Amino acid sequence: MSKILPFLEWVSTYKKSFLLRDLLAGLTVGIVLVPQGMAYAMIAGLPPVHGLYASLFPVLVYVFLGTSRRIAVGPVAMDSLLVAVGLGALTITGVEDYIKMVVILAFMVGVIQFLLGILRMGFLVNFLSKPVISGFTSAAAIIIILSQLKHLLGIVMPGGNKVYQSAINLLFHLVEINYVDLGIGLIGIVLLVAFKKWNRNIPGILIIVVLGMVGVFLFKLDNFGIQLVGDVPDGLPALQLPSLNLEDFKRLWPIAVALALVGYLEAISIGKALEDKSGIETIKANQELIALGTANVVGSLFQGYPVTASFSRSAINFDAGAKTNLAGLFSVILVVLTLLFLTPLFQYLPNAVLASIIMVSVVKLIDFKYCKYLWVNRKDEFVVLLVTFFLTLFMGIAEGILIGVLCSLLLMVYRTSKPHFVEIGNIGNSDYYKNVIRFADEVVVRNDLLIVRFDSQLYFGNSAYFKKQLLKHIRAKGPGLKGIILNAESINYIDATAADMLTRLIHDIRESGKQFYIAGAIGPTRDIIFNTGIIKELQREFLFVKTKEAVDFFDNPNEISLLAAKVAYENSKMTKLKKN
């Protein structure tokens, strides 16, 4: 049952000493969750109360189904931006229709994540490389900041799906700046930054929210035309089934897939990072997909929007000493109390305060340090980061992610199509064989024997490159060459195309009067050698466990060397059979 309901694992070992820590962590996260949830709902283009709705049932579901005991689930800036940009590209008229589409989107995201979890497809997120994520998040942070400038400046302007659209709209409305709004927002930013530098345990977000509401009420700042959150509906959300039709599905599925994968990646990344700090590993990748998927589906039934793990709130949860997912339950209780009794207070909350919270929260997503690292050490991956960054800024988030992933895959294919191919030689008559270029002063190079190493799987994409490089090294040795040894330690797979190429290449080499040997092949590679035509052309006695054995056999092809090679191979084969 613990596989279906992971909470049974921590409930069965729960200690009384955990309760106080979970209570304090849950309430601390809840204090941050209320204003953050409202602020992130604004990013998504929703009324602030939907951020509170998304902080209820999804969080409660994760308490019972989630496998990470440290992360805090709920609305986040990244998913909110994806929602806003994805739906902003569609023709949607009216707030009610927009809310309806967001709810449908949350339902679709949940279904996709749930199905991926059931089908054990969690590995798909591995295709989102770190350069792609860094470029995407850095661009998204800029887009988020630009989207909040209208609230910080107190101006009314249309939104834009691209960064240049937002910039142009902003320029045309600069004359409408409300300096009271601007002052409130700047004070909020300064206080948040100051609190973080002074003491991270200070609830800076809660303080500026309270100060903002008190300031508006006491000094009647609403008379200066500042933008306020306004009336927030009280009470808990009612159960409402999303009305999904085929047309909505066609319009929403691309952004739903992007949200499902990005949300899962965020949760796994944050959860793994916190596990490294705590030293306790509980996360199960596919169960996390099921937990997040169920949370989003249930959330959509109560007018919520897509949720995932929050980096800032998860860090707070961890620092506050949360021991189990029970902390999430206490956060939910605080949100419930807010919806039932405290919503009248939020009518005095300035939008500029929420904008300052968002800006300070997302600015850390711009990772200059990693960008600099790639520029110095990995210029090819730096290009992938830049492509993702600029495409996200100027074309859209979905396009940036998809093309960034494609660039990463193309880079991977390019690297595997031309892997490291090197001649190796013996060091000091030992068992070690190293690169003749790197160890030029220590390696013994022979003219009658060529030993090469290929550092990759051998498949259709690089088989021609392998053949070209091997023949190039053979020609460089000259007419005195008598034998070639392939060190196959780094070859973990040989596909049908490469096996056919290698078989014909061995035949041609032998026809030219030279001998060919394979040494160091691991178990799976040996299986392929024996299950294809390679062994028929190579012959069993020319397959060795160690490179040194192949060299000894080349120098002295007697029965002792042959017997040693055969015994070693048979022993390794028997060991593998026993393990199976």
Side-chain angles (χ1 to χ4, degrees), residues 154-410:
I155 60 180
V156 178
M157 68 177 192
N161 299 328
K162 314 292 187 299
V163 66
Y164 61 86
Q165 291 176 341
S166 298
I168 292 172
N169 291 335
L170 183 63
L171 287 174
F172 279 109
H173 290 81
L174 281 178
V175 294
E176 304 170 11
I177 292 178
N178 185 313
Y179 290 98
V180 178
D181 266 317
L182 178 59
I184 293 171
L186 291 178
I187 291 172
I189 291 173
V190 170
L191 287 177
L192 283 173
V193 173
F195 286 142
K196 283 190 175 182
K197 288 190 175 181
W198 184 22
N199 188 338
R200 288 183 173 272
N201 294 324
I202 296 176
I205 292 177
L206 178 63
I207 290 173
I208 68 165
V209 167
V210 172
L211 288 177
M213 291 188 296
V214 170
V216 170
F217 180 77
L218 291 180
F219 300 106
K220 307 296 182 183
L221 296 180
D222 50 326
N223 294 332
F224 293 91
I226 66 171
Q227 298 178 5
L228 301 176
V229 169
D231 292 332
V232 177
D234 58 359
L236 301 179
L239 176 65
Q240 188 175 343
L241 297 176
S243 55
L244 178 64
N245 56 53
L246 184 59
E247 187 61 31
D248 291 336
F249 176 81
K250 290 179 180 178
R251 298 167 72 190
L252 295 177
W253 77 263
I255 189 63
V257 171
L259 271 165
L261 292 178
V262 170
Y264 173 63
L265 176 70
E266 288 179 282
I268 286 293
S269 300
I270 295 168
K272 290 291 185 183
L274 295 180
E275 279 190 346
D276 290 341
K277 289 185 178 181
S278 67
I280 301 174
E281 297 184 0
T282 59
I283 291 179
K284 298 173 183 176
N286 292 304
Q287 178 60 35
E288 280 297 288
L289 273 170
I290 294 173
L292 289 173
T294 307
N296 278 309
V297 168
V298 173
S300 71
L301 302 179
F302 294 92
Q303 303 174 56
Y305 73 100
V307 300
T308 186
S310 163
F311 180 83
S312 59
R313 295 195 301 274
S314 296
I316 292 171
N317 197 43
F318 180 81
D319 292 339
K323 290 296 184 180
T324 68
N325 290 2
L326 187 63
L329 178 61
F330 296 123
S331 297
V332 170
I333 291 173
L334 191 60
V335 175
V336 169
L337 293 175
T338 300
L339 281 168
L340 292 178
F341 306 110
L342 303 179
T343 52
L345 297 177
F346 288 103
Q347 64 180 310
Y348 299 106
L349 179 61
N351 285 346
V353 169
L354 294 179
S356 66
I357 294 171
I358 292 168
M359 288 181 171
V360 174
S361 298
V362 303
V363 73
K364 63 178 176 287
L365 294 175
I366 305 175
D367 196 345
F368 292 107
K369 186 177 180 181
Y370 185 65
C371 187
K372 181 181 179 181
Y373 166 78
L374 290 183
W375 168 251
V376 175
N377 300 289
R378 296 283 188 274
K379 287 188 170 56
D380 50 357
E381 294 188 58
F382 176 75
V383 172
V384 173
L385 185 150
L386 282 186
V387 168
T388 307
F389 177 79
F390 285 112
L391 286 176
T392 302
L393 276 181
F394 296 104
M395 289 185 65
I397 286 181
E399 292 85 351
I401 292 175
L402 292 175
I403 297 178
V405 169
L406 179 61
C407 288
S408 292
L409 294 177
L410 289 175

Side-chain angles (χ1 to χ4, degrees), residues 46-61:
L46 292 165
V49 71
H50 286 271
L52 299 180
Y53 294 162
S55 305
L56 285 176
F57 293 101
V59 180
L60 194 59
V61 168

